[in-house]
C-alpha cells in the first residue's frame, strides 16, 4: 500500500510530559479506566467526509487542503481515499470509521452505475477491514448534497424524490450491513422547511416516518443487526429542521411507533445550536432509554452554525463522559469525530494534530468523569437533595398512591414549607474544579 501520509509515523502514547506534538499525552489505549480499556470506553471513529473529503471550501473561497491523494480519475480517487483512510486510522490507532455513501464513491450519471461504483469500493473497504481489523461504526446516505434534494428527501413535496431517496438509503443500508456496520444513521439533511407558506408539515412528517419504517423493516430483512440512529439538529441547512433536538425526536418516534427501533446519535455542536448543553442532550437520551452514539465535536459560542471543530474543551468532554459512564458506557455506539480542521489548518500534519487534540481531550474527559464518580460528592449531593421522596409523603408521591385530597390535608397540617435545602451550584462547580485540577 502506498503511503499517503509519509511524513507522519505511527502516533504513540508518550504521557503528559512529552513535548512531541505528534504523540498522545493522555490517550493510552490499553490503560484501564472505570473497568475497561480507554480504547473500549471511548470507541473512537474517523468521519470519512471531513477527514478524507472536505478540503476547507467555504462561502468565500475554494478549498485550501489537498485531498486528491495523488489521483486524477474519480474512481482512482475513491480507491486512494479508502487506502489513505486506513493508513490514517492505523497511524492514529483509531478502530472505527463512519461514512455517507457519497463519501466513499462518487455519484455517476445514473443510479445503476452509481451503485456499481459503491459495490467496487465496498469490496476494497471489505479487504482493508479484514486485513487491519478496523470496523464500521455506522453508515448513512447523503440525501442532501445533490440538487434533486433541494426540498428535502423523505420530506420532499415530490414523490419521485422520495422514491430516489428510498433507493439510495436501501443501497447504503446494504453496504453498511455487508461491512458489518454497528449502526445506521439518519441525520435530517434537508428534512425541514424554510417557510410554512409552501409546506404541508403534517404530510412531510408522516412521509419521513414511512421512510424510516420501510428502512427498519428492510434492514432487518437483510440481516442488519445494528442500531438505527437519529441525529438531532435544530437548524442548518433548513431554517427549521424537523429533528430539532432529542425531546422533539422522541415525540416524533413515539407518535409513529418507532421508539423501539431508533436510538440517538448526539452531536455536541447540534446540542448547543438547539440552545442546550451537550450534557443535557445526552441526559435526555439516557433517561429515555435512547442513548446510542456520539458525534464528537464542539461549536463556537460566538458563531451560530455547525462549525464542527475538534473538541478540546475538557469541561465538556468530562461531562459528556460522565453521562456516558452513568448510562453504562457505549454498546453499539462510539465517539465519531464529526469534526474538521479549520480552513487555515490545511496540512496533513494538521489533521493528525487535530485528532490527537480531540482524542487526548476525551481521554482526559474520561479520567475526570471517572474521578467525579469515584469522588462521589456530586452524586451524593444529588441523592440527598431528593431525600424527601424516600420517606413519608414523598414516598407516597413516588409510589403513585398519594391523592390530591391527601396532599391538601398534608399541606393544611404543615402550615407552610419551612425548610428548603440550598442548591449549592457554586460549591458543586468548585468540586468539579477540585477534581479536575486535584490540588
Ligand atoms: C451535519 C451532520 C452530519 C451527520 C451525518 O451537521 O452532523 O455530518 O453527522 O450525516
Ligand atoms: Ni454529525
Ligand atoms: Ni453536524
Amino acid at each position: 500500500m502506498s503511503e499517503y501520509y509519509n511524513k507522519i509515523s505511527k502516533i504513540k502514547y508518550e504521557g503528559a510530559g512529552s513535548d512531541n506534538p505528534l504523540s498522545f499525552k493522555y490517550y493510552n489505549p490499553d490503560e484501564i479506566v472505570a473497568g475497561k480499556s480507554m480504547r473500549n470506553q471511548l470507541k473512537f471513529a474517523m468521519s470519512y467526509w471531513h477527514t478524507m473529503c472536505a478540503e476547507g471550501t467555504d462561502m468565500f473561497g475554494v478549498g485550501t487542503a489537498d485531498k486528491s491523494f495523488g489521483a486524477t480519475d474519480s474512481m482512482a480517487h475513491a480507491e486512494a481515499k479508502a487506502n489513505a483512510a486506513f493508513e490514517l486510522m492505523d497511524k492514529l490507532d483509531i478502530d472505527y470509521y463512519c461514512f455517507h455513501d457519497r463519501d466513499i464513491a462518487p455519484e455517476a450519471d445514473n443510479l445503476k452505475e452509481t451503485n456499481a461504483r459503491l459495490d467496487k469500493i465496498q469490496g476494497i473497504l471489505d479487504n482493508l477491514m479484514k486485513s487491519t481489523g478496523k470496523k464500521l461504526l455506522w453508515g448513512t446516505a447523503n440525501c442532501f448534497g445533490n440538487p434533486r434534494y433541494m426540498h428535502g428527501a423523505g420530506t420532499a413535496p415530490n414523490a419521485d424524490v422520495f422514491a430516489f431517496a428510498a433507493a439510495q438509503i436501501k443501497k447504503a443500508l446494504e453496504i453498511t450491513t455487508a461491512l458489518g456496520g454497528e449502526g445506521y444513521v439518519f441525520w435530517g439533511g434537508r428534512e425541514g422547511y424554510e417557510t410554512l407558506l409552501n409546506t404541508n408539515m403534517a404530510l412531510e412528517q408522516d412521509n419521513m416516518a414511512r421512510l424510516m419504517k420501510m428502512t427498519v423493516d428492510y434492514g432487518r430483512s437483510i440481516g442488519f443487526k445494528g442500531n438505527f440512529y437519529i441525529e438531532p439538529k435544530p437548524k442548518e441547512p433548513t431554517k427549521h429542521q424537523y429533528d430539532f433536538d432529542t425531546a422533539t425526536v422522541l415525540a416524533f418516534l413515539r407518535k409513529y411507533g418507532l421508539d423501539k427501533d431508533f436510538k440517538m446519535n448526539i452531536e455536541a455542536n447540534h446540542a448547543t445550536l438547539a440552545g442546550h448543553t451537550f450534557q443535557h442532550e445526552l441526559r435526555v437520551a439516557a433517561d429515555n432509554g435512547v442513548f446510542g452514539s456520539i458525534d464528537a465535536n464542539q461549536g463556537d459560542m460566538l458563531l451560530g452554525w455547525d462549525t464542527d471543530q475538534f473538541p478540546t474543551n475538557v469541561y465538556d468532554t468530562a461531562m459528556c463522559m460522565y453521562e456516558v459512564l452513568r448510562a453504562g458506557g457505549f454498546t453499539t455506539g462510539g465517539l465519531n469525530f464529526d469534526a474538521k480542521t479549520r480552513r487555515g489548518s490545511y496540512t496533513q500534519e494538521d489533521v493528525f494534530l487535530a485528532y490527537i487534540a480531540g482524542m487526548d481531550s476525551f481521554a482526559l474527559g474520561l479520567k475526570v468523569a471517572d474521578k467525579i464518580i469515584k469522588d462521589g460528592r456530586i452524586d451524593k449531593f444529588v441523592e440527598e437533595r431528593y431525600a424527601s421522596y424516600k420517606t413519608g409523603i414523598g414516598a407516597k408521591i413516588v409510589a403513585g398512591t398519594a391523592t390530591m385530597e391527601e396532599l391538601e390535608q398534608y399541606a393544611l397540617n404543615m402550615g407552610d414549607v419551612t425548610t428548603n435545602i440550598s442548591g449549592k451550584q457554586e460549591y458543586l462547580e468548585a468540586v468539579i474544579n477540585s477534581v479536575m485540577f486535584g490540588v
Side-chain angles (χ1 to χ4, degrees):
M1 195 198 289
S2 54
E3 259 200 281
Y4 295 96
Y5 301 99
N6 49 21
K7 293 204 190 78
I8 317 269
S9 357
K10 207 167 161 112
I11 309 299
K12 300 210 175 65
Y13 170 71
E14 292 184 7
S18 170
D19 62 2
N20 173 9
L22 290 166
S23 73
F24 294 119
K25 316 294 179 299
Y26 304 101
Y27 181 57
N28 186 9
D30 299 320
E31 186 180 327
I32 304 292
V33 181
K36 277 200 266 181
S37 66
M38 283 189 153
R39 177 188 298 284
N40 290 331
Q41 288 286 22
L42 295 163
K43 290 184 67 182
F44 288 132
M46 178 207 73
S47 64
Y48 218 95
W49 53 103
H50 289 307
T51 311
M52 309 320 300
C53 309
E55 295 180 324
T57 307
D58 71 9
M59 244 105 91
F60 302 97
V62 298
T64 54
D66 178 3
K67 302 240 171 119
S68 64
F69 300 106
T72 43
D73 161 70
S74 69
M75 277 307 278
H77 181 218
E79 197 169 334
K81 279 198 296 188
N83 287 319
F86 279 74
E87 182 188 332
L88 181 130
M89 285 190 275
D90 174 56
K91 289 185 166 169
L92 281 165
D93 209 345
I94 290 179
D95 295 334
Y96 293 89
Y97 70 112
C98 302
F99 62 68
H100 302 83
D101 48 1
R102 303 303 176 241
D103 304 332
I104 58 171
E107 199 161 350
D109 294 339
N110 60 71
L111 187 60
K112 201 162 172 230
E113 177 57 24
T114 298
N115 287 350
R117 288 179 170 190
L118 279 167
D119 290 336
K120 176 150 196 272
I121 300 297
Q122 180 197 314
I124 291 166
L125 292 172
D126 198 29
N127 286 337
L128 286 163
M129 288 170 75
K130 288 200 172 105
S131 62
T132 60
K134 305 286 177 204
K135 290 170 272 193
L136 180 62
L137 190 67
W138 51 259
T140 188
N142 178 334
C143 291
F144 46 88
N146 189 290
R148 81 174 70 85
Y149 297 123
M150 65 173 73
H151 303 303
T155 65
N158 177 347
D160 286 353
V161 176
F162 184 103
F164 203 100
Q168 196 181 322
I169 290 168
K170 175 176 176 287
K171 184 69 182 170
L173 187 54
E174 286 164 4
I175 290 178
T176 302
T177 306
L179 293 174
E182 295 187 10
Y184 185 86
V185 166
F186 280 84
W187 163 60
R190 295 181 194 276
E191 316 292 20
Y193 66 83
E194 294 296 328
T195 171
L196 285 175
L197 293 175
N198 65 14
T199 303
N200 182 341
M201 187 156 79
L203 178 64
E204 291 199 359
Q205 297 218 14
D206 288 352
N207 281 346
M208 194 65 223
R210 290 181 179 111
L211 182 59
M212 287 178 172
K213 181 90 186 88
M214 277 186 242
T215 306
V216 170
D217 291 346
Y218 182 69
R220 297 309 179 211
S221 81
I222 61 166
F224 175 68
K225 302 227 161 42
N227 265 322
F228 287 97
Y229 299 118
I230 299 191
E231 183 178 322
K233 183 176 183 181
K235 53 189 160 193
E236 192 210 54
T238 70
K239 184 175 86 172
H240 182 98
Q241 298 272 127
Y242 288 136
D243 299 336
F244 190 93
D245 62 359
T246 301
T248 310
V249 171
L250 268 171
F252 171 88
L253 292 175
R254 287 174 182 160
K255 174 175 178 186
Y256 296 103
L258 288 163
D259 46 316
K260 298 283 167 294
D261 297 310
F262 283 86
K263 295 203 180 320
M264 299 295 149
N265 182 40
I266 305 287
E267 178 163 326
N269 205 162
H270 296 180
T272 50
L273 287 179
H276 303 308
T277 60
F278 184 20
Q279 188 185 4
H280 168 92
E281 285 292 86
L282 293 164
R283 180 74 64 93
V284 174
D287 283 352
N288 287 282
V290 292
F291 167 66
S293 200
I294 288 177
D295 267 12
N297 58 21
Q298 74 185 23
D300 185 313
M301 287 306 171
L302 302 181
L303 301 174
W305 65 93
D306 200 12
T307 57
D308 289 336
Q309 292 164 226
F310 273 86
T312 52
N313 183 324
V314 180
Y315 284 100
D316 287 344
T317 61
M319 294 330 283
C320 167
M321 291 315 296
Y322 174 68
E323 294 301 321
V324 173
L325 292 179
R326 282 178 93 237
F330 288 114
T331 51
T332 58
L335 281 163
N336 166 49
F337 285 103
D338 191 355
K340 57 182 181 239
T341 55
R342 298 305 81 196
R343 191 166 182 272
S345 308
Y346 72 98
T347 69
Q348 286 194 343
E349 187 191 47
D350 284 311
V351 175
F352 282 81
L353 294 173
Y355 268 96
I356 292 167
M359 292 163 79
D360 270 342
S361 299
F362 265 97
L364 267 174
L366 170 64
K367 286 186 150 188
V368 172
D370 181 42
K371 277 169 86 180
I372 293 172
I373 292 168
K374 291 204 169 106
D375 173 272
R377 276 177 286 175
I378 301 285
D379 290 336
K380 185 160 171 272
F381 185 87
V382 176
E383 179 80 19
E384 284 171 4
R385 191 164 185 233
Y386 297 90
S388 64
Y389 288 98
K390 291 267 166 59
T391 56
I393 197 70
K396 281 191 167 178
I397 293 171
V398 169
T401 55
T403 63
M404 293 300 270
E405 292 87 340
E406 189 181 359
L407 292 171
E408 183 189 43
Q409 196 50 57
Y410 183 88
L412 286 168
N413 294 344
M414 179 168 53
D416 201 354
V417 175
T418 50
T419 46
N420 247 323
I421 303 170
S422 164
K424 291 200 173 152
Q425 180 174 335
E426 301 77 2
Y427 158 72
L428 297 167
E429 286 168 355
V431 167
I432 299 289
N433 278 346
S434 79
V435 170
M436 277 178 79
F437 301 105
V439 267

